[in-house]
Amino acid sequence: MSPMIDRISDHTLNETPRILSIAGTDPTGGAGIQADLKSIAANGGYGMAVVSALVAQNTLGVRSVHIPPVAFLRQQLSAVSDDVTIDAVKIGMLADLDVINEVRSWLDVCRPPIVVLDPVMVATSGDRLLDPSAEQALRDLIPLVDLVTPNVPELAVLLAEPPAADWAEAVAQGRRLSARAGVTVLVKGGHFDDTDCPDALVNTQGLLAHSVVEFTAPRIITKNTHGTGCSLSSAMATVQARTGDWAQSLAEVKDWLQDALTYADDLEVGRGNGPIHHFHRLFSEASAASAVPADPAPFSSTLWRDVELIRLQIFDLPFITDLSSGALAEEDFSYYLAQDALYLATYARVLAHASELAPTVSAQRFLADSAARCRDVESELHRSWLRQQPDPDEAGPVTTGYVDHLLATSEAGNYAVLLAALLPCFWLYSDVGDRLHAEFLSRTEEEAHPYAAWLETYSDEEFAAATRQAIALTDDVAATVSESECAAMRQAFTTSARFELDFFDAPRQLVKA
């Protein structure tokens, strides 16, 4: 086991992780250290900052860069690490060879538990930002970090290859960089013009359940993307310090980043490419709180509001629209059901464990009955659909990520958080079933629907009643736990909801791959 892996495994996860950003500045607040601090705070961390470069820039572009003496950089780093326990480090702009070497020397001595490197090497215009000797020093720094988050041009520079022409080539380059440097690579698809925006965690060293774990989301159409790379990498450092699981961290961060991009236009900052809205969720909650009546809505209302964007995205997926119309390809539906069968086996186990943790007899009975329903009724439906197909024996990356999230939450042993993690499989499925079944009923009898049996199963009253009971149990337990546990419940619920979205989209991603 490498020293880097040793220090990660020995690290104690922190509910409010202390995150250090080493990066340049942005006076307009959209990128660099200013964006990092916002991103860290928005994702539940305590942010600290060491300035590597002073940058005169705005939303229209960079005007000049001043690099303070490297001795002052050394003093900043020492001042922080001599006093504060650092849970994770995000490294951004390292403007020249001396700065890179100084940060490397500090890493050798300090050995933070988690290090995320955003290799700032290529400007949006395509201009190279480092001289050749500094580029090589940055390549040599990569084996000392845990996650590197290059954009497509930077990934090419790190490998000394031409930029990838498409997503598949970018992932292949991520594999080569991971194999060469022994690091996890976050490959980002933002530079391509596809309707979706994929991201993939790539590791060839066996540190992930699969060598490639991919997540995708609809591309948000906005010019206000300034600082997205900075924000993503600092958010990953923050969430990883809480979860200890890169796949779970990316699921959470991608969900948050989608919101930040969706509402970026609301900020109206600058005349060029403005910043993302780091604190959209906080502002939305504050606005909602001001309108809360004396008798506040149940906790579940907050959960449902948290995943509003995810719910909208689900109904925009080609899988769902084609399922509704009956035009969905049989092989896509078969793949979905095969993965669902694998998922349900674990889901039933986790439900059974939740039953063991439940504080009341009625909750124990409901969760145990739900586990049995997964094993029996729903499994029988899958067997009937898949009777002409080979038994599913390999979980896809989304299935693996989802079950790993549920198992990790189950093993943690917090009943409230586990219940929140289990709830989206009830609630989102019920929502989808209700809507699709309503559309199905609006068809004439002459219009045969190939997936009627599935729609009937997820829209029947028994499943709707089970969903209502799962929601009620969640509200009951939320009223008895601390604020920090409620926050953990919301995070677990949102993570599972994001996996539900990706699960519905997995057949299409398989075809694209």
Side-chain angles (χ1 to χ4, degrees):
M1 184 176 286
S2 70
M4 186 64 67
I5 298 173
D6 274 334
R7 61 192 174 78
I8 295 172
S9 61
D10 292 341
H11 176 55
T12 300
L13 303 181
N14 194 329
E15 285 191 2
T16 306
R18 295 146 294 195
I19 314 299
L20 174 64
S21 167
I22 306 171
T25 64
D26 176 5
T28 63
I33 273 180
Q34 285 88 339
D36 289 343
L37 292 174
K38 293 174 185 176
S39 178
I40 292 164
N43 284 278
Y46 175 80
M48 302 171 285
V50 164
V51 177
S52 60
L54 297 166
V55 184
Q57 64 174 311
N58 56 28
T59 63
L60 299 172
V62 175
R63 298 186 177 184
S64 65
V65 177
H66 171 68
I67 304 173
V70 72
F72 183 66
L73 173 62
R74 183 182 310 123
Q75 291 174 338
Q76 292 183 79
L77 291 167
S78 297
V80 176
S81 57
D82 287 350
D83 179 46
V84 181
T85 299
I86 300 170
D87 297 302
V89 173
K90 174 269 170 87
I91 301 173
M93 180 181 184
L94 303 179
D96 63 18
L97 179 61
D98 290 340
V99 170
I100 295 171
N101 287 338
E102 185 59 41
V103 170
R104 181 190 181 106
S105 297
W106 179 78
L107 289 175
D108 285 336
V109 173
C110 187
R111 308 299 295 176
I114 298 167
V115 181
V116 176
L117 172 64
D118 183 22
V120 181
M121 306 176 75
V122 183
T124 303
S125 63
D127 295 333
R128 302 280 272 265
L129 301 177
L130 299 175
D131 63 40
S133 62
E135 285 184 358
Q136 185 55 50
L138 199 57
R139 291 188 190 98
D140 294 340
L141 184 64
I142 291 176
L144 292 182
V145 311
D146 303 295
L147 179 71
V148 60
T149 65
N151 58 32
V152 169
E154 289 162 349
L155 181 57
V157 170
L158 289 173
L159 291 166
E161 297 178 1
D166 56 32
W167 175 243
E169 188 178 347
V171 172
Q173 287 188 331
R175 287 181 182 270
R176 290 196 287 277
L177 180 59
S178 177
R180 182 179 303 177
V183 68
T184 300
V185 181
L186 175 50
V187 182
K188 301 180 289 188
H191 274 70
F192 301 116
D193 294 327
D194 298 337
T195 55
D196 290 328
C197 188
D199 293 304
L201 289 165
V202 181
N203 186 285
T204 61
Q205 316 299 309
L207 296 183
L208 302 172
H210 292 268
S211 59
V212 178
V213 180
E214 183 173 325
F215 298 88
T216 191
R219 184 177 298 275
I220 305 300
I221 306 303
T222 177
K223 71 171 185 176
N224 297 316
T225 59
H226 182 51
T228 303
C230 305
S231 302
L232 173 62
S233 55
S234 52
M236 286 296 291
T238 306
V239 178
Q240 181 66 11
R242 274 197 292 104
T243 69
D245 182 301
W246 287 117
Q248 180 180 343
S249 297
L250 181 56
E252 293 187 20
V253 169
K254 194 168 179 64
D255 181 42
W256 165 77
L257 191 58
Q258 282 290 107
D259 277 1
L261 286 163
T262 298
Y263 296 95
D265 294 355
D266 293 353
L267 290 176
E268 298 183 357
V269 174
R271 293 178 289 118
N273 296 317
I276 66 174
H277 199 329
H278 296 85
F279 292 116
H280 163 69
R281 290 180 176 176
L282 178 63
F283 291 0
S284 297
E285 290 167 8
S287 176
S290 66
V292 169
D295 181 18
F299 180 73
S300 56
S301 298
T302 299
L303 297 179
W304 201 234
R305 186 172 61 247
D306 284 346
V307 299
E308 178 183 3
L309 178 62
I310 294 174
R311 291 187 282 121
L312 293 173
Q313 290 171 342
I314 285 175
F315 287 99
D316 284 338
L317 291 175
F319 180 91
I320 296 298
T321 57
D322 289 349
L323 181 61
S324 174
S325 67
L328 182 66
E330 184 178 348
E331 58 267 27
D332 286 352
F333 193 62
S334 294
Y335 176 80
Y336 164 80
L337 287 181
Q339 293 300 306
D340 203 20
L342 292 169
Y343 164 82
L344 284 171
T346 299
Y347 188 72
R349 287 168 47 202
V350 176
L351 278 169
H353 186 223
S355 174
E356 296 171 0
L357 298 173
T360 66
V361 172
S362 60
Q364 292 166 6
R365 183 178 299 116
F366 167 74
L367 292 167
D369 289 347
S370 297
R373 189 172 193 269
C374 280
R375 289 189 296 264
D376 299 333
V377 180
E378 298 179 54
S379 294
E380 179 59 34
L381 174 62
H382 285 73
R383 283 194 295 272
S384 67
W385 277 100
L386 297 168
R387 62 185 180 275
Q388 303 299 327
Q389 305 292 331
D391 290 338
D393 57 4
E394 182 177 351
V398 174
T399 308
T400 300
Y402 198 173
V403 299
D404 284 352
H405 160 60
L406 292 179
L407 289 170
T409 308
S410 178
E411 290 170 6
N414 185 306
Y415 169 70
V417 178
L418 179 56
L419 196 58
L422 291 165
L423 183 57
C425 191
F426 283 97
W427 206 350
L428 291 180
Y429 265 86
S430 181
D431 191 37
V432 169
D434 282 346
R435 295 200 196 187
L436 295 190
H437 190 252
E439 294 176 16
F440 164 68
L441 291 177
S442 69
R443 300 162 62 94
T444 66
E445 292 184 0
E446 289 75 20
E447 296 178 290
H449 197 296
Y451 307 118
W454 186 90
L455 296 177
E456 292 282 358
T457 299
Y458 282 95
S459 63
D460 68 7
E461 178 53 32
E462 182 182 356
F463 188 69
T467 299
R468 291 192 293 270
Q469 189 163 354
I471 294 169
L473 286 179
T474 305
D475 281 328
D476 289 345
V477 73
T480 67
V481 300
S482 66
E483 289 186 10
S484 63
E485 285 180 287
C486 283
M489 290 176 69
R490 292 176 64 181
Q491 190 63 67
F493 180 84
T494 300
T495 300
S496 292
R498 169 58 64 183
F499 275 121
E500 291 288 345
L501 169 65
D502 292 339
F503 203 95
F504 282 123
D505 201 37
R508 186 166 62 108
Q509 296 307 315
L510 180 70
V511 172
K512 289 173 64 176

